[in-house]
């Protein structure tokens, strides 16, 4: 599978994709850690529920923008 990916795309492209993937995961890990620490830190369950609701609402609103 990886050999096929290298054949279709260049080695440089695959390396850039891997670096970008690690960067995206690192960014979101940092965001989640900050939210755990600063957004209602004394009410962990409430914090999780509120962020799920707000995230879902934001995604819904973004899907309605034309």
């Amino acid at each position: 599978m990886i050999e096929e990916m290298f054949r279709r795309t260049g080695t440089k492209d695959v390396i850039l994709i891997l670096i970008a993937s690690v960067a995206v995961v690192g960014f979101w890990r940092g965001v989640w850690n900050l939210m755990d620490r600063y957004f209602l830190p004394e009410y962990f369950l409430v914090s999780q529920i509120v962020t799920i609701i707000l995230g879902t609402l934001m995604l819904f609103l973004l899907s309605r923008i034309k």
Side-chain angles (χ1 to χ4, degrees):
M1 180 171 126
I2 297 219
E3 294 84 14
E4 178 66 28
M5 185 170 52
F6 273 105
R7 264 190 296 242
R8 285 188 288 151
T9 61
T11 304
K12 179 181 169 186
D13 292 334
V14 173
I15 291 171
L16 288 175
I17 290 169
L18 291 173
I19 291 171
S21 300
V22 170
V24 167
V25 170
F27 172 80
W28 284 113
R29 181 178 183 270
V31 169
W32 286 326
N33 284 333
L34 285 173
M35 288 181 70
D36 285 343
R37 182 164 195 148
Y38 294 111
F39 186 71
L40 300 172
E42 61 278 351
Y43 303 105
F44 183 75
L45 183 61
V46 174
S47 173
Q48 303 301 307
I49 292 170
V50 169
T51 54
I52 288 171
I53 292 170
L54 287 176
T56 303
L57 180 64
M58 289 168 57
L59 287 172
F60 175 75
L61 293 173
L62 283 173
S63 72
R64 296 294 172 202
I65 294 176
K66 293 185 180 184

